[in-house]
Amino acid sequence: MVLLPSTAQTQNILLEDTLAAKNRIILRNQRSFGVLMHSGGFGLQYRRFHQKTYYKRRGWEIQLVEMKTDKQIRMVNPYFDNSRSFVYGKLNSIFIGRLGFGQQRIISREPYFGGVEISMFFMAGASVSFAKPIYLYIVNYTNDSYDYYLSTERYDPEKHFLDNIYGRAPFTEGIGETKLYPGAYLHFGVNFEFGDLDKKPKSLEVGAILDLYPSPVPIMAYQDKHHYFLSIYLSFNFGKRFD
């Protein structure tokens, strides 16, 4: 009696694999690269899955995305020629790195003659926000009210205003002062795989990702810091299947 559950499970797996073999050869491993557009910006992802049964895969993913807020408004200083655009009030540029593990469940298999395969998956893991401080070109006036020079300074909402900000400084300014905010994330998505080549799958994917941080992440001055980010995304993925 003790062996019955294990035996039944084994029989189900063998039955799935037998049915699959009638239509195609099962390639147990899959890796894919993706470009995603989400409600806070853009990003890249890499994913690796292993086929556990005919309808289930398990694996892991890595993502790197930028994160913006809907409060960001890009502008230029109209009082200076050739001034550079900047986001007024922005304290940090935020990039999020994610490493997670989970599984993918195939809802509808792609027919052997080609079509669309639909699957859903869930991932969870570690999330780290990289907060790189914003540096700006600041206008400094001399004794002559019409003469000025520019200095590169970290944005300070108490000292820098619309009348003395010339524009954004190079992105590399402040990289050494980047601060890390560790946290966790949850990821749910639905994948639509298309094409007629089992070895080189392509897919479109939609889903949602929730990043959670015990220490709040600062983006804009005079606004609440972020304990979480909720992102809705669309991605295009291409990859390879192999044994």
Side-chain angles (χ1 to χ4, degrees):
M1 296 297 292
V2 176
L3 297 177
L4 285 178
S6 177
T7 303
Q9 182 180 15
T10 301
Q11 290 175 345
N12 288 336
I13 294 175
L14 290 175
L15 177 60
E16 290 177 349
D17 289 347
T18 301
L19 293 174
K22 292 182 178 181
N23 289 330
R24 64 181 72 182
I25 297 173
I26 297 178
L27 299 175
R28 297 287 181 178
N29 298 288
Q30 177 176 325
R31 62 170 176 250
S32 64
F33 298 88
V35 179
L36 59 91
M37 176 177 64
H38 65 96
S39 49
F42 296 88
L44 301 171
Q45 68 180 10
Y46 174 78
R47 193 175 289 155
R48 186 75 176 263
F49 277 114
H50 178 72
Q51 197 89 29
K52 301 300 290 184
T53 70
Y54 188 50
Y55 288 102
K56 184 182 294 185
R57 302 183 182 116
R58 290 181 180 173
W60 53 272
E61 69 178 1
I62 296 176
Q63 293 185 336
L64 179 63
V65 301
E66 65 174 336
M67 184 61 66
K68 301 178 181 177
T69 74
D70 55 2
K71 306 298 183 180
Q72 296 184 200
I73 301 176
R74 189 166 292 278
M75 58 184 63
V76 296
N77 192 325
Y79 301 107
F80 297 92
D81 295 333
N82 302 318
S83 60
R84 305 183 65 180
S85 64
F86 64 97
V87 176
Y88 184 64
K90 187 173 183 179
L91 295 169
N92 296 290
S93 293
I94 303 298
F95 297 88
I96 297 178
R98 304 181 181 115
L99 172 61
F101 299 84
Q103 67 178 25
Q104 182 179 26
R105 178 73 180 180
I106 298 171
I107 301 172
S108 175
R109 266 288 187 182
E110 176 185 344
Y112 72 91
F113 51 80
V116 178
E117 176 179 288
I118 303 174
S119 62
M120 58 190 298
F121 65 89
F122 176 80
M123 293 280 189
S127 174
V128 179
S129 274
F130 300 86
K132 189 202 78 68
I134 296 295
Y135 272 73
L136 301 170
Y137 287 128
I138 302 301
V139 177
N140 299 274
Y141 290 98
T142 64
N143 293 331
D144 184 348
S145 59
Y146 295 98
D147 190 21
Y148 64 88
Y149 64 93
L150 300 178
S151 61
T152 302
E153 302 178 20
R154 181 173 178 171
Y155 172 62
D156 183 343
E158 301 298 328
K159 298 193 307 181
H160 303 142
F161 307 99
L162 292 175
D163 58 349
N164 66 351
I165 297 176
Y166 185 83
R168 69 184 185 281
F171 180 81
T172 53
E173 294 286 347
I175 285 184
E177 301 171 56
T178 299
K179 186 175 181 180
L180 275 57
Y181 293 84
Y185 82 101
L186 303 174
H187 180 185
F188 173 79
V190 179
N191 188 282
F192 301 89
E193 184 179 301
F194 54 90
D196 56 0
L197 295 176
D198 275 350
K199 293 185 178 181
K200 296 183 179 181
K202 300 180 179 66
S203 67
L204 288 175
E205 186 176 295
V206 295
I209 302 175
L210 176 63
D211 295 278
L212 301 166
Y213 300 100
S215 297
V217 181
I219 298 182
M220 303 292 292
Y222 306 120
Q223 293 183 11
D224 292 338
K225 299 178 182 180
H226 298 262
H227 275 287
Y228 70 92
F229 297 106
L230 177 61
S231 307
I232 308 299
Y233 74 91
L234 171 68
S235 71
F236 174 73
N237 309 281
F238 57 94
K240 180 180 181 180
R241 288 199 181 102
F242 57 96
D243 278 333

